[in-house]
C-alpha cells in the first residue's frame, strides 16, 4: 500500500497479491521440479554499463555513432508482414522515431496522435507539425472527458494492479484508435531515461548542490528551526513542507534527495505519515541499490535507478497493458540494449 502511494505504481519485486512476486528485469528464474528449489540468475544489468570506463569519443563522434545505432534499432523493428504505425506525441522522443523511420522508409509512415479538449494539455498541434514535416499519413483523435470516464471501470481488468499514471487512459484510447488502422505500433518510450529528459534530475541536482554548499553553521540553525516549525501544526500544508525542508537539510547524498521526492505528483513519506494511522513500510525494491552505484556520478545514479524502476514498472507496464488490451503489438525501438549500453558509457555532460 505504501509503495503505491509513494511511487504511483507497484515496484518490482512486489505485487498486490499475497505470496506472488515479480521477476526483476534482466533475470531468469530456474525451478527444479525434482527438489522444488529455485535459482535466480541475472543475465543483464544496466548498471554494469554505467560502471564501465567512459568511451573516449568527441561529442560529434558520439552523435554519429548514436545515430547509427538508433537507425539500426528502428529499422529492425519495422520488420513485419502487417502495416506498422508510430505513436507521435510531438515531443522529442516520438519525433525522433518518426524522423529516422521517415528518412529510411520507402513508404509513407502512419502516425497516430491523441489530443485533449483542454488546450493546456493537448500536443496535437505539435504532432501535426512534425507529421507534416516528415510527410506521414497522420491520424488524430481527441480524448474527451466522457471517453476518459467511460474507461475508468476497465482499468483494473487491463492493468491487473493499481497504476497511478494519469496518462494510462489516453494511452488506452490511443491504442484502441491505432488498432483500427494497423496491428503494430512503435513508441518513443525510454528516451527520457536514456538522455535525462525529466526536469526532476536537474532540480534534484540543484537542491543537492545547494544543501552541500550550505555552511554547516547555517544548516545547524535551519534544521532545528524547520523541525520546530513542523511540530506547531498550524496548517497541514505548511507542516508537510517544513518537514520536507527539514528532511532535505539532513540529506547526505543524492539518494536522500531523490527519495524525498520533492518534485513528484505522489505522496512523500512525510505525507504518508499524516495519511495513515499506522506506520507505513516501504518494501525493498531496485530503489535500494544506490549503495552499489557509488562509483557513478549523481546524474548517472538517478538515470540508472529510473531505468530499472520507473521505466519498467510504470511506463512499460502502462504501454504494454494498453496495447495488448487492444490486440496491438507495441514495439520500443529506443530500448534496444545496444543504445543504453552505448549511452551509459558516454560522459554524462554529453
Amino acid at each position: 500500500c505504501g509503495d503505491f502511494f509513494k511511487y504511483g505504481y507497484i515496484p518490482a519485486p512486489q505485487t498486490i497479491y499475497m505470496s506472488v512476486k515479480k521477476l526483476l528485469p534482466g533475470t531468469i528464474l530456474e525451478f527444479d521440479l525434482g527438489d522444488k528449489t529455485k535459482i535466480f540468475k541475472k543475465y543483464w544489468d544496466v548498471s554494469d554499463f554505467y560502471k564501465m570506463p567512459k568511451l573516449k569519443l568527441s561529442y560529434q563522434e558520439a552523435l554519429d555513432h548514436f545515430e547509427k545505432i538508433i537507425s539500426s534499432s528502428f529499422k529492425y523493428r519495422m520488420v513485419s508482414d502487417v502495416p506498422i504505425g508510430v505513436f507521435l506525441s510531438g515531443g522529442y522522443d516520438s519525433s525522433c522515431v518518426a524522423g529516422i523511420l521517415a528518412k529510411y522508409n520507402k513508404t509513407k509512415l502512419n502516425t497516430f496522435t491523441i489530443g485533449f479538449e483542454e488546450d493546456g494539455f493537448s500536443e496535437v498541434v505539435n504532432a501535426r507539425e512534425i507529421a507534416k514535416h516528415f510527410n506521414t499519413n497522420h491520424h488524430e483523435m481527441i480524448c474527451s472527458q466522457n471517453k476518459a470516464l467511460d474507461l475508468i471501470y476497465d482499468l483494473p481488468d487491463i492493468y491487473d494492479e493499481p497504476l497511478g499514471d494519469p496518462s494510462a487512459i489516453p494511452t488506452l484510447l490511443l491504442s484502441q484508435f491505432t488498432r483500427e488502422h494497423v496491428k503494430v505500433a512503435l513508441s518513443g518510450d525510454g528516451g527520457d531515461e536514456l538522455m535525462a529528459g525529466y526536469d526532476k534530475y536537474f532540480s534534484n541536482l540543484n537542491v543537492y548542490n545547494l544543501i552541500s554548499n550550505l555552511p554547516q553553521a547555517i544548516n545547524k540553525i535551519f534544521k532545528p528551526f524547520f523541525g520546530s516549525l513542523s511540530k506547531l501544526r498550524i496548517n497541514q500544508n505548511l507542516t508537510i513542507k517544513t518537514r520536507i525542508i527539514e528532511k532535505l537539510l539532513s540529506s547526505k547524498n543524492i539518494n536522500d534527495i531523490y527519495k524525498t521526492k520533492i518534485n513528484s505528483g505522489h505522496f512523500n513519506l512525510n505525507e504518508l505519515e499524516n495519511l495513515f494511522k499506522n506506520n507505513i513500510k516501504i518494501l525493498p525494491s531496485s530503489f535500494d541499490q544506490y549503495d552499489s552505484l557509488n562509483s557513478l556520478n549523481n546524474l548517472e545514479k538517478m538515470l540508472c535507478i529510473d531505468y530499472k524502476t520507473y521505466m519498467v514498472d510504470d511506463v512499460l507496464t502502462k504501454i504494454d497493458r494498453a496495447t495488448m488490451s487492444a490486440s496491438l503489438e507495441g514495439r520500443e525501438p529506443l530500448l534496444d540494449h545496444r543504445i543504453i549500453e552505448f549511452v551509459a558509457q558516454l560522459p554524462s555532460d554529453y
Side-chain angles (χ1 to χ4, degrees):
C1 184
D3 295 88
F4 173 69
F5 279 92
K6 181 171 173 59
Y7 302 118
Y9 55 90
I10 311 296
Q14 314 304 333
T15 75
I16 64 168
Y17 304 105
M18 188 177 296
S19 303
V20 176
K21 300 290 184 184
K22 294 172 188 162
L23 197 61
L24 290 171
T27 305
I28 293 172
L29 170 62
E30 291 184 357
F31 184 72
D32 191 311
L33 294 173
D35 57 17
K36 303 295 190 293
T37 57
K38 57 183 182 290
I39 301 173
F40 294 93
K41 294 183 178 179
K42 179 156 285 191
Y43 64 87
W44 189 87
D45 192 325
V46 67
S47 61
D48 293 338
F49 298 93
Y50 275 106
K51 293 175 183 177
M52 287 182 177
K54 297 305 176 189
L55 297 171
K56 295 180 179 180
L57 298 172
S58 70
Y59 184 80
Q60 188 58 50
E61 287 172 336
L63 198 62
D64 293 341
H65 189 64
F66 180 70
E67 182 171 352
K68 288 179 182 177
I69 298 175
I70 62 173
S71 298
S72 171
S73 169
F74 293 4
K75 287 188 285 186
Y76 179 71
R77 282 156 184 82
M78 285 295 286
V79 176
S80 174
D81 54 3
V82 294
I84 291 180
V86 176
F87 289 162
L88 181 61
S89 70
Y92 288 117
D93 303 326
S94 63
S95 298
C96 172
V97 174
I100 294 288
L101 292 178
K103 179 178 180 180
Y104 293 104
N105 229 36
K106 295 180 180 179
T107 58
K108 263 192 175 186
L109 284 179
N110 290 296
T111 52
F112 300 87
T113 298
I114 194 161
F116 304 93
E117 293 174 330
E118 298 79 10
D119 291 336
F121 295 93
S122 188
E123 297 176 314
V124 166
V125 174
N126 293 341
R128 193 180 296 154
E129 287 297 314
I130 295 296
K132 182 180 178 181
H133 179 76
F134 293 124
N135 191 30
T136 70
N137 292 320
H138 192 53
H139 309 265
E140 296 176 0
M141 178 187 182
I142 300 299
C143 174
S144 66
Q145 291 185 30
N146 288 335
K147 287 179 181 176
L149 290 171
D150 287 342
L151 278 177
I152 292 291
Y153 296 102
D154 296 330
L155 296 181
D157 286 335
I158 293 171
Y159 284 105
D160 299 326
E161 287 189 299
L163 183 69
D165 192 323
S167 63
I169 290 176
T171 303
L172 278 170
L173 285 172
L174 178 61
S175 298
Q176 293 169 1
F177 173 55
T178 302
R179 182 60 183 84
E180 295 174 5
H181 303 271
V182 297
K183 293 183 178 180
V184 180
L186 276 64
S187 181
D189 296 309
D192 290 306
E193 291 80 8
L194 276 172
M195 295 295 178
Y198 297 126
D199 290 337
K200 66 179 180 179
Y201 298 132
F202 302 99
S203 61
N204 284 337
L205 287 172
N206 289 336
V207 171
Y208 176 71
N209 291 333
L210 177 65
I211 292 172
S212 299
N213 294 320
L214 198 66
Q216 279 297 112
I218 296 178
N219 196 321
K220 286 181 179 179
I221 296 172
F222 279 178
K223 196 157 47 173
F225 169 75
F226 284 106
S228 301
L229 197 61
S230 68
K231 294 173 184 175
L232 294 177
R233 299 187 181 277
I234 301 171
N235 175 280
Q236 186 175 0
N237 192 38
L238 177 64
T239 299
I240 290 171
K241 288 181 178 178
T242 51
R243 291 185 71 179
I244 289 174
I245 294 173
E246 180 192 13
K247 192 174 180 67
L248 288 173
L249 290 170
S250 302
S251 300
K252 297 181 177 63
N253 51 50
I254 194 68
N255 185 24
D256 293 338
I257 301 288
Y258 203 61
K259 281 189 172 182
T260 304
K261 300 192 80 72
I262 57 171
N263 40 25
S264 168
H266 307 294
F267 296 98
N268 59 52
L269 288 175
N270 290 326
E271 293 168 324
L272 287 176
E273 290 173 6
N274 288 303
L275 190 63
F276 292 95
K277 291 182 179 179
N278 300 323
N279 291 333
I280 294 298
K281 184 179 180 182
I282 303 299
L283 298 173
S285 71
S286 294
F287 276 105
D288 303 308
Q289 296 183 5
Y290 273 93
D291 290 341
S292 67
L293 304 176
N294 285 334
S295 61
L296 310 186
N297 64 41
N298 287 331
L299 177 60
E300 291 171 337
K301 288 177 183 177
M302 290 187 286
L303 289 171
C304 186
I305 291 295
D306 263 2
Y307 203 88
K308 301 171 75 167
T309 55
Y310 173 70
M311 188 186 73
V312 177
D313 296 318
D314 184 307
V315 177
L316 296 186
T317 295
K318 173 188 67 180
I319 194 74
D320 178 67
R321 303 295 194 277
T323 52
M324 287 293 96
S325 70
S327 298
L328 179 72
E329 181 188 338
R331 298 180 181 178
E332 302 287 358
L334 286 173
L335 296 186
D336 189 303
H337 68 94
R338 295 171 296 169
I339 299 177
I340 185 61
E341 289 170 4
F342 173 68
V343 170
Q345 297 176 71
L346 291 176
S348 57
D349 57 333
Y350 281 16

